[in-house]
Structures are given as C-alpha cells and as structure tokens.
Amino acid sequence: MCNGHHRSLFRGTISPNQTSVPENGDASVVDNLRGRLAETESRLAQVRAREAALSRLLEEMKRLVCVMEILENYLKRRYRDRQEYVVRLLAPVSRK
C-alpha cells in the first residue's frame, strides 16, 4: 500500500550528511523536515478520520442490506401465500 509513496516525502535534495543535525548551524534542513513531518501527520490524521467515516457508512449500508433482505423474504412469502389463496378460490368445488 505504501510502495512508491515514500519518495514523495523526500522532495528536496538531501544528502546522507544532512540527515543528522547539521554541525554548521544550518537548522533550516531540520525545520524543513519537521514541517514536512507535521504535514504528513496531519494528512495521516485526515485519512484516518475519512477511513473511520467510511467504515461507519459501510456498516450502515450492511444493516440496510440486511433489512432489505428481510423485507424481500417477507414479501416473497406473502406473495406465495396470496397466490395459493387465489388458486384455492378458483379451484373447482369438488362434490361427493
């Protein structure tokens, strides 16, 4: 799921020497990374909230499908009962 997406986190040109705290006092790289980390965490929080909302919607849809299946079965049963009733009404009366 994360394959190929990790490159987007590293847009700038950062050499391996710049990944640790710079010795020359250049804190802008560290600030840049912290800012990007904060943005990533913010996006992650938004995605998790969206996932939770979609999960709730999915559960609601599953309940709706269940209710619809119950109604469908009920209506089929009523239809068969009415069909049998009509057949009995229209059947010739047998006389002995």
Side-chain angles (χ1 to χ4, degrees), residues 7-66:
R7 278 185 242 124
S8 65
L9 297 176
F10 302 106
R11 290 185 204 123
T13 56
I14 300 173
S15 67
N17 295 338
Q18 292 175 319
T19 57
S20 61
V21 178
E23 294 176 14
N24 62 1
D26 186 14
S28 65
V29 173
V30 173
D31 289 341
N32 182 13
L33 290 174
R34 285 184 181 143
R36 288 169 46 193
L37 177 61
E39 289 174 12
T40 301
E41 288 173 342
S42 173
R43 285 193 307 261
L44 181 60
Q46 291 172 350
V47 168
R48 284 182 175 155
R50 178 72 176 144
E51 179 186 22
L54 289 173
S55 293
R56 286 190 299 273
L57 183 60
L58 177 61
E59 290 305 313
E60 186 176 321
M61 295 299 285
K62 285 179 180 178
R63 284 192 299 272
L64 177 64
V65 167
C66 184

